Amino acid sequence: MDKFGEMTVFLCVAKEGSFSAAGRRLQLSPSAVSKLIARVEQRLNVRLFERVAGSIHLTQEGLAFRQASQRVVDAMNDAENSVISSDAEISGQLTIHTALTTAKYLLAPLLEEFLERYPRIKLKFMLGTERADFARQSIDVAIHSEQPTELSLVAKPLMPRPWVVAAAPAYLQKFGVPATPDELAQHRCLNFTIRTQWNSWTFREAGALTTIATTGHLSADQGELLRTFAINGLGVVRLARFHIAEDIRRGALVPLLEAFQEPSADVFYALYPQGRVLAPRVRAFLAFLEERLPRN
């Protein structure tokens, strides 16, 4: 087996967490997989896995080798896919997992162009804020904020996600305009019931970061409902800029405390399983997002 094949086997073992599971996936015996890994370790003169009580774990050197191997495998797949399929030939169903607001406000406006470019691709969206079960739900790619902690997933950065604090003109007329972040304590803030860290609003004041833990009368597990509450004058909301940019443009919401906004932002990531050979339709979608999504 050549080095590319060895890397493919190594990445499968790292993903599956055992020689036997990797063997089943690759249709190799566990002993063949174990001998191949031992041969690679001997050639590199390092231990890639720690073997303890019947389980295996990547060593520090193994983690570094996994990252480098993934880049090599991805590059090889890119090279092959670049000559295998033209845009018109790329086909199949592409299943995407993401949140409702991301699908509605960020992705939906781009889909007509994508489908014109790749007319043989069929798109299927599965919506939710929780992490996707790629295998059980047959998901190709997920688009979410926050880098995953799962070693089984690749996280490809797509775009920053800055936040905006805003309220409706009717609310501000009734309750006043907060001049500083501290004044939010006297206002009705709209909160999330999921990922409650989003209810701690960070600002930059006098050169230092300050975090305000917000409280209010209304909360929801969907940003889209919080947006509706805010437009109806029910409180102050903090949502992603892409989500409420059109509401601000038409005057339905007024941005607040802009001088105190922390310039750093969350990041949207495209998530897909580690070690998986990406289908041309998935690579086409990721390349399209890189081309069309804003970089700031």
Side-chain angles (χ1 to χ4, degrees), residues 131-146:
R131 286 283 184 249
D133 187 329
F134 282 81
R136 184 175 63 83
Q137 298 173 287
S138 299
I139 291 168
D140 293 304
V141 62
I143 310 296
H144 288 289
S145 63
E146 301 179 359

Side-chain angles (χ1 to χ4, degrees), residues 165 171 177-189 199-215 236 238 256-262:
V165 176
Y171 174 90
V177 179
T180 66
D182 289 339
E183 292 185 15
L184 289 172
Q186 283 74 54
H187 283 267
R188 297 180 176 182
C189 296
N199 300 331
S200 296
W201 300 0
T202 301
F203 300 91
R204 183 170 292 279
E205 193 169 6
L209 293 180
T210 181
T211 300
I212 306 296
T214 57
T215 59
V236 180
R238 179 176 179 263
L256 305 172
L257 302 170
E258 293 181 282
F260 299 94
Q261 285 297 299
E262 163 59 17

Side-chain angles (χ1 to χ4, degrees), residues 130-295:
E130 74 286 351
R131 286 283 184 249
D133 187 329
F134 282 81
R136 184 175 63 83
Q137 298 173 287
S138 299
I139 291 168
D140 293 304
V141 62
I143 310 296
H144 288 289
S145 63
E146 301 179 359
Q147 189 163 8
T149 57
E150 300 98 321
L151 293 177
S152 60
L153 293 179
V154 176
K156 184 182 184 67
L158 291 177
M159 63 172 282
R161 187 186 66 168
W163 294 78
V164 178
V165 176
Y171 174 90
L172 298 174
Q173 184 176 3
K174 184 175 182 179
F175 294 99
V177 179
T180 66
D182 289 339
E183 292 185 15
L184 289 172
Q186 283 74 54
H187 283 267
R188 297 180 176 182
C189 296
L190 303 172
N191 284 334
F192 285 93
T193 57
I194 55 166
R195 301 194 186 181
T196 52
Q197 70 270 22
W198 290 346
N199 300 331
S200 296
W201 300 0
T202 301
F203 300 91
R204 183 170 292 279
E205 193 169 6
L209 293 180
T210 181
T211 300
I212 306 296
T214 57
T215 59
H217 295 76
L218 283 172
S219 60
D221 64 354
Q222 285 287 342
E224 181 66 352
L225 185 54
L226 295 183
R227 167 185 171 268
T228 300
F229 289 159
I231 290 173
N232 289 338
L234 297 176
V236 180
V237 75
R238 179 176 179 263
L239 293 170
R241 185 171 65 192
F242 78 86
H243 188 178
I244 57 175
E246 177 59 22
D247 300 318
I248 292 173
R249 188 196 65 77
R250 62 187 178 87
L253 292 175
V254 177
L256 305 172
L257 302 170
E258 293 181 282
F260 299 94
Q261 285 297 299
E262 163 59 17
S264 64
D266 293 336
V267 173
F268 269 121
Y269 293 92
L271 310 178
Y272 51 88
Q274 183 80 249
R276 176 184 290 184
V277 177
L278 295 181
R281 63 184 182 277
V282 180
R283 293 186 176 278
F285 183 65
L286 295 179
F288 177 80
L289 292 183
E290 282 192 291
E291 173 190 330
R292 297 292 286 111
L293 290 179
R295 291 300 180 182

Side-chain angles (χ1 to χ4, degrees), residues 103-151:
K104 182 176 180 180
Y105 294 94
L106 191 65
L107 300 180
L110 305 176
L111 295 184
E112 181 180 7
E113 179 182 350
F114 177 77
L115 292 173
E116 286 181 353
R117 188 179 301 184
Y118 302 101
R120 297 181 62 188
I121 288 181
K122 297 180 180 179
L123 297 178
K124 177 182 177 181
F125 278 85
M126 303 186 71
L127 302 180
T129 56
E130 74 286 351
R131 286 283 184 249
D133 187 329
F134 282 81
R136 184 175 63 83
Q137 298 173 287
S138 299
I139 291 168
D140 293 304
V141 62
I143 310 296
H144 288 289
S145 63
E146 301 179 359
Q147 189 163 8
T149 57
E150 300 98 321
L151 293 177

Side-chain angles (χ1 to χ4, degrees), residues 1-11 36 39-40 43-44 65 69 72-73 76:
M1 184 176 290
D2 61 16
K3 290 184 179 180
F4 179 75
E6 291 176 345
M7 288 181 181
T8 301
V9 173
F10 165 75
L11 288 172
L36 184 147
R39 186 165 64 247
V40 174
R43 185 178 75 247
L44 299 177
F65 188 62
S69 296
V72 171
V73 171
M76 287 287 288

